[in-house]
């Protein structure tokens, strides 16, 4: 797996998304501030400001119709707009703040000029999965629209809501890719540790005494140092991105609420406003919300599962060798236990206020779905009760 090649590809993707203002230098194996990237972000900021201001254009017929049809959905869009403005500003701050932690982590991820492997292909898949989904939905919607561009004011309204979400999603891409690379390094260290420990197993119990004086601990000490550096730097990196990811999950929750709300009301009343072609466009646009969010969560959970699995395998391998007491040198046993201790630290177990592990993310997603369902159900029942009251009132008047 070629780490530099993966990082360069990640860098290009994040630059296009607008999340990163740095350029990855292959020679120094670190990110440095790039003037063209800063200019690009400035232009992107000007475009976003213009799109943002479109939401406060009182002459916008789209916003008037939306407000008349559903004040609640109009309010959700305002919330998403406010979250987006904060997310756009925080993404710029987060990118600059986290680059130091990223460069520190890269020191523990040495560049390799090896052949293309399955792990490298998986890294690219994790990085570009959302873009593949985006392309498919965009192509289908464009086909249904007969490849005609929407009115510029409406496109600007949508861009103001999508752009900050798209930019901040770079934090998940960055976290996912660097976690995947850290998993690869952990796998390599496990392999080296097993080889080092097995090499120092004595096959003759009678020669244990002499083996104790001839065994070398330099290799294991070096491995322990590398593992400690990886653990410490990964912990700092994870902490530097945790607020960005929490911010993005909050935007996800609001998007899920808006998507589920519009789908519920469309099934019951709004479908009469759409013709067949527009109905298909609506379904595709609504489905894209869930697909994008699911893609983020699935990629994140796959990486977390794989890294946790690698950590457990590492611990089990050490425990298995330590269990062979009669064949294992007492001089190496404390170092092997130290390796196990590093692997059991909170960072490799994803501890802290934000715990991006399988259970945490699953509970968070379930909680989001439950809250969204309750809000939409309560709102829908309130509207139905209001309609019944109006019908009773009109019946009494007659």
């Amino acid at each position: 797996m070629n780490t530099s090649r993966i990082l360069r590809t990640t860098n290009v993707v994040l630059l296009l998304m607008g999340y990163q203002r740095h350029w990855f230098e292959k020679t120094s194996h670190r990110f440095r501030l790039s003037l063209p990237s800063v200019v690009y972000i400035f232009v992107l900021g000007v475009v976003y400001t213009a799109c943002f201001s479109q939401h406060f254009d009182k002459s916008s017929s789209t916003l008037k119709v939306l407000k008349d049809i559903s004040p609640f959905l109009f309010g959700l869009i305002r919330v998403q707009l406010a979250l987006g403005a904060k997310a756009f500003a925080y993404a710029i701050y987060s990118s600059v703040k986290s680059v130091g932690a990223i460069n520190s982590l890269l020191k523990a991820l040495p560049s390799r000029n090896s052949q293309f492997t399955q792990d490298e292909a998986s890294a690219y898949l994790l990085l570009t999965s959302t873009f593949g989904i985006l392309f498919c939905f965009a192509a289908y919607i464009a086909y249904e629209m007969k490849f005609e561009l929407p009115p510029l004011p409406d496109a600007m309204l949508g861009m103001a809501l999508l752009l900050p979400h798209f930019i901040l999603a770079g934090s998940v891409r960055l976290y996912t890719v660097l976690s995947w690379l850290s998993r690869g390094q952990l796998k390599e260290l496990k392999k080296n540790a097993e080889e080092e420990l097995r090499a120092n197993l004595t096959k003759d119990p009678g020669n244990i005494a002499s083996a104790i004086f001839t065994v070398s601990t330099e290799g294991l000490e070096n491995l322990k140092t590398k593992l400690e550096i990886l653990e410490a730097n990964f912990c700092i990196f994870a902490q530097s991105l945790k607020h960005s990811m929490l911010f993005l999950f909050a935007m996800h929750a609001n998007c899920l609420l808006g998507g589920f709300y519009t789908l519920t009301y469309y099934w019951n009343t709004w479908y009469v406003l759409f013709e067949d072609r527009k109905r298909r466009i609506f379904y595709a646009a609504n489905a894209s919300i869930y697909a994008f969010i699911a893609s983020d969560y699935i990629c994140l959970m796959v990486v977390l599962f794989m890294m946790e699995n690698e950590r457990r395998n590492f611990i089990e391998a050490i425990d298995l060798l330590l269990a062979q007491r009669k064949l294992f040198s007492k001089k190496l046993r404390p170092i092997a236990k130290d390796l196990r201790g590093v692997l059991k630290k909170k960072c490799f177990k994803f501890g802290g206020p934000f715990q991006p592990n399988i259970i945490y993310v699953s509970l968070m997603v379930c909680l989001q779905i439950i809250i969204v369902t309750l809000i939409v159900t309560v709102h829908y029942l309130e509207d139905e009760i209001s309609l019944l009251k109006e019908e009773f009132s009109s019946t009494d008047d007659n």
Side-chain angles (χ1 to χ4, degrees), residues 97-115:
K97 177 187 175 184
S98 63
V99 71
I102 295 170
N103 286 333
S104 297
L105 179 60
L106 294 186
K107 294 178 182 178
L109 303 174
S111 174
R112 298 184 183 88
N113 296 318
S114 58
Q115 296 179 350

Side-chain angles (χ1 to χ4, degrees), residues 84-100:
K86 295 177 181 178
F88 189 90
Y90 189 79
I92 296 174
Y93 166 76
S94 173
S95 176
V96 176
K97 177 187 175 184
S98 63
V99 71

Side-chain angles (χ1 to χ4, degrees), residues 172 175 238-247 249 297 300 304 346-347 349-357 360-361 364:
V172 174
Y175 184 90
Q239 290 294 316
S240 70
L241 287 186
K242 70 174 184 178
H243 291 109
S244 295
M245 296 177 69
L246 287 171
F247 216 143
F249 292 159
Y297 286 145
L300 179 61
L304 294 175
K346 286 186 177 181
C347 190
K349 294 172 68 177
F350 301 99
F354 173 61
Q355 301 175 5
N357 54 42
Y360 183 90
V361 176
M364 182 175 59

Side-chain angles (χ1 to χ4, degrees), residues 119 179-192 194 227 230 302-318 343-344 348 350:
D119 280 352
S179 295
W180 185 256
L181 293 176
S182 299
R183 181 210 64 88
Q185 180 65 5
L186 194 62
K187 183 178 180 180
E188 186 69 20
L189 291 175
K190 169 182 169 289
K191 179 182 176 182
N192 294 339
E194 283 184 306
L227 187 62
L230 178 64
V302 165
V303 170
L304 294 175
F305 174 79
M306 294 297 289
M307 193 165 184
E308 176 64 13
N309 189 56
E310 200 63 51
R311 184 187 72 88
R312 289 182 180 277
N313 288 340
F314 202 158
I315 293 175
E316 288 174 2
I318 293 175
L343 291 166
K344 289 186 176 181
F348 273 140
F350 301 99

Side-chain angles (χ1 to χ4, degrees), residues 4-5 48 54 56 62 72 84 101 113 143 146 167 172 208 229 273 277 320 335 346 357-359 364 390 396:
S4 293
R5 188 162 54 209
Y48 172 68
Q54 188 66 30
F56 299 92
T62 301
F72 180 73
N113 296 318
Y143 170 77
K146 300 178 181 178
I167 292 173
V172 174
I208 290 179
I229 293 173
L273 303 174
R277 182 173 60 85
L320 182 62
I335 304 175
K346 286 186 177 181
N357 54 42
I358 299 296
I359 297 176
M364 182 175 59
E390 290 178 4
D396 292 340

Side-chain angles (χ1 to χ4, degrees), residues 223-243:
L223 284 171
K224 188 184 79 168
T225 302
K226 288 182 178 180
L227 187 62
E228 288 174 339
I229 293 173
L230 178 64
E231 185 274 335
N233 289 332
F234 184 84
C235 189
I236 295 171
F237 161 73
Q239 290 294 316
S240 70
L241 287 186
K242 70 174 184 178
H243 291 109

Side-chain angles (χ1 to χ4, degrees), residues 241-281:
L241 287 186
K242 70 174 184 178
H243 291 109
S244 295
M245 296 177 69
L246 287 171
F247 216 143
L248 184 64
F249 292 159
M251 296 183 72
H252 281 343
N254 196 68
C255 286
L256 286 172
L257 179 56
F260 189 41
Y261 174 85
T262 54
L263 186 61
T264 301
Y265 276 77
Y266 174 83
W267 282 340
N268 290 276
T269 54
W270 295 350
Y271 66 92
V272 298
L273 303 174
F274 294 79
E275 59 185 21
D276 288 342
R277 182 173 60 85
K278 290 184 177 179
R279 288 178 184 178
R280 292 193 294 270
I281 294 173

